[in-house]
Amino acid sequence: MQSLHTALVSASLHRRIQISTPHSLGTLTNSTPPSSAKFRRGYDAQVLKPLLSFLRSTSSPFVVNPYPFFGYSIETLDFALFRPNPGLFDQHTKLLYTNMLDAQLDSVYSAMDKLGFSDVEIVIGEIGWPSEGDIDQIGVDVDTAAEFNKNLIARVDSGTGTPLMPNRTFETYIFALFNENLKSGPTSERNFGIFRSDLTPIYDIGILRPTFRSSDPVYNPRSPVRGSSSKRWCVTKAGAETVALQRNIDYVCGLGLDCRPINEGGLCYLPNTVKAHSKYAMNLYYQTMEKHEFDCDFDNTGEITTIDPSYGNCEYQAN
């Protein structure tokens, strides 16, 4: 970390880029109640104290990976999922904890405070809940995973903070975007994703783009109108801004999909306009991604049509 920071200083980037490293809650001991938590002997003075000193001097955060999933039992499931529950009362601070994440974060804070580093910011580097587990696991299913992540987002964005760190908003990274279908270990280890490994969504926690279906597709005067009751194509919406359409081209072609037909000399290169090229690229992506409506959204610049946009020798794919 010191070497990386030195390299950033030499490039005058140290004020723009922070260096940190994540830690599991396995570095803690005596974490219940939160006020009793401290870092494990051997980690505290030899590793974490100099590390926290480095983070303070470089204005960087201490990154932790709290996982209520790995700390819950049948009795504490509601506590882990931010549901109504009796809570956990800390006799020393006289504070009541209504969810496990707050308790975990305050345990980290208490351990940092005992070393004299309560002023260092805390960032949540990993947190999540699996959508599938082994047959004997309670509270591991799609609905529960969606519930946890929705409640998590609401909690960390609320600005409420925790009992020991009130009025804070925690930078948080949800684990994970995709399932890891080839990962070994328990079933749950392969199923923390919001999306499956084939890119299809498992559940929505408010991050999926809204979808739109056109009831009156725009007529392309360059093309013969060819209707189809079963085939669908993705085309650009009328009035879509050129900057947004160019971004669509860059995104699709940047994925490695075959954009050669809209390159110079390609069958779909003419007309050489951003709108025409974007329409081809958007349809290419839509057809490749199993033709879900949200695959044609493109930040509300695309729409689905039953009219074949192909023209001349330029054929638009339709599986």
Side-chain angles (χ1 to χ4, degrees), residues 77-131:
L77 181 60
D78 290 343
F79 187 56
L81 293 172
F82 305 93
R83 293 171 179 169
N85 65 89
L88 170 68
F89 185 70
D90 191 323
Q91 291 284 353
H92 179 70
T93 59
K94 309 303 181 186
L95 295 172
L96 178 67
Y97 289 85
T98 59
N99 67 82
M100 190 177 293
L101 176 61
D102 282 4
Q104 290 177 330
L105 291 176
D106 274 1
S107 294
V108 175
Y109 175 85
S110 295
M112 293 168 64
D113 186 43
K114 288 179 174 66
L115 292 181
F117 293 94
S118 61
D119 58 316
V120 175
E121 181 184 1
I122 295 175
V123 164
I124 300 174
E126 277 188 27
I127 187 171
W129 198 279
S131 60

Side-chain angles (χ1 to χ4, degrees), residues 232-249:
R232 299 289 187 272
W233 292 264
C234 177
V235 296
T236 56
K237 273 191 174 182
E241 295 184 358
T242 301
V243 173
L245 296 181
Q246 182 61 56
R247 190 160 55 239
N248 296 344
I249 297 171

